[in-house]
Amino acid sequence: MTYPQWPRQLSDGLAAMNLSLSEGQQQQLLAFLALLNKWNKAYNLTAVRDERVMVSRQLLDSLSILPWITTDHLLDVGAGGGLPGIPLAIVFPEKRFTLLDSNGKKTRFLNQCVLELGLGNVEVIHGRAEDCQPDQPFTQISSRAFTALENLVTWCGQLLASEGEFLAMKGQYPDDEVAALPAGWQVESSHSLKVPGADGERHLLIVTRAE
């Protein structure tokens, strides 16, 4: 079930963000949003239930970190309903994405998305970050609405390459979370994100090991 305003909202939002996506990619993004909306009614994948704001709050918000994606293989922890991992995988078909979540309902949904959308560049892992043992560490790990920064680096630090960085998506700048970062970690940079149609502040914090 797609909301009739979604295609226009998406194309207008992409234009405002200076993002140029193919018609096929836009159709894939809308198909993903329709899946998310449908499954959300039974699986509680996301708190956003107003169809009028889903394009902004879910698709455009996920794509707002595109300029900072530099790795060939991104790990998205606490992937939940696939945000930002699935939209990023649609936009970057040449890159690989691993989506990790400990909630079985959510990973079932993610596997269904991979199947229905034909996303050959996405791997879904059902499990806890502490138990994950990748072949090699990741140079970038994204998280959105997952957990506090302190937990993020504690639970997932072993998954990050020595020179790697966490891409932590937040609302308002989390002064308290930054202050609570354990020794050995730092916020290397912070970026205010502009998301068309979204109320409130959005920030991306780049968290790295301290020198």
Side-chain angles (χ1 to χ4, degrees):
M1 172 65 188
T2 60
Y3 189 64
Q5 277 80 3
W6 283 355
R8 171 55 67 85
Q9 289 177 347
L10 179 59
S11 60
D12 287 353
L14 291 172
M17 296 168 74
N18 293 317
L19 293 177
S20 178
L21 301 186
S22 71
E23 186 65 29
Q25 286 174 315
Q26 293 186 49
Q27 291 302 321
Q28 265 192 311
L29 287 169
L30 294 171
F32 162 66
L33 198 60
L35 277 173
L36 183 63
N37 191 27
K38 173 185 170 184
W39 282 60
N40 196 40
K41 292 173 172 60
Y43 274 38
N44 195 28
L45 300 166
T46 167
V48 179
R49 300 190 178 276
D50 185 347
E51 293 177 335
R52 295 170 298 178
V53 299
M54 285 182 173
V55 167
S56 172
R57 294 275 298 277
Q58 292 166 333
L59 295 183
L60 299 178
D61 186 81
S62 294
L63 298 180
S64 66
I65 67 168
L66 277 180
W68 292 275
I69 305 294
T70 57
T71 184
D72 291 327
H73 189 182
L74 180 87
L75 173 65
D76 187 29
V77 293
L83 305 165
I86 297 287
L88 293 174
I90 289 171
V91 173
F92 287 128
E94 75 284 0
K95 296 180 183 290
R96 292 168 58 211
F97 293 85
T98 297
L99 276 51
L100 174 67
D101 203 283
S102 61
N103 183 306
K105 286 184 177 180
K106 292 178 178 177
T107 54
R108 279 197 290 281
F109 166 71
L110 294 173
N111 278 314
Q112 189 66 24
C113 287
V114 170
L115 191 66
E116 290 199 31
L117 301 174
L119 297 175
N121 61 334
V122 175
E123 175 190 19
V124 177
I125 297 178
H126 173 216
R128 293 161 35 134
E130 302 96 308
D131 301 328
C132 185
Q133 295 182 319
D135 293 335
Q136 59 187 43
F138 295 86
T139 54
Q140 287 190 316
I141 298 177
S142 63
S143 79
R144 177 184 186 265
F146 173 45
T147 188
L149 295 177
E150 180 180 9
N151 295 334
L152 181 64
V153 301
T154 301
W155 297 343
C156 307
Q158 85 282 2
L159 302 174
L160 189 71
S162 57
E163 301 294 316
E165 55 190 25
F166 285 106
L167 306 177
M169 301 177 71
K170 297 289 182 178
Q172 290 185 318
Y173 188 87
D175 290 290
D176 52 342
E177 292 186 27
V178 173
L181 268 176
W185 295 94
Q186 64 183 1
V187 174
E188 185 175 275
S189 60
S190 170
H191 308 275
S192 180
L193 302 173
K194 300 288 183 279
V195 182
D199 295 329
E201 295 179 31
R202 300 291 296 145
H203 286 87
L204 173 66
L205 274 61
I206 310 288
V207 179
T208 63
R209 290 181 176 84
E211 295 297 330

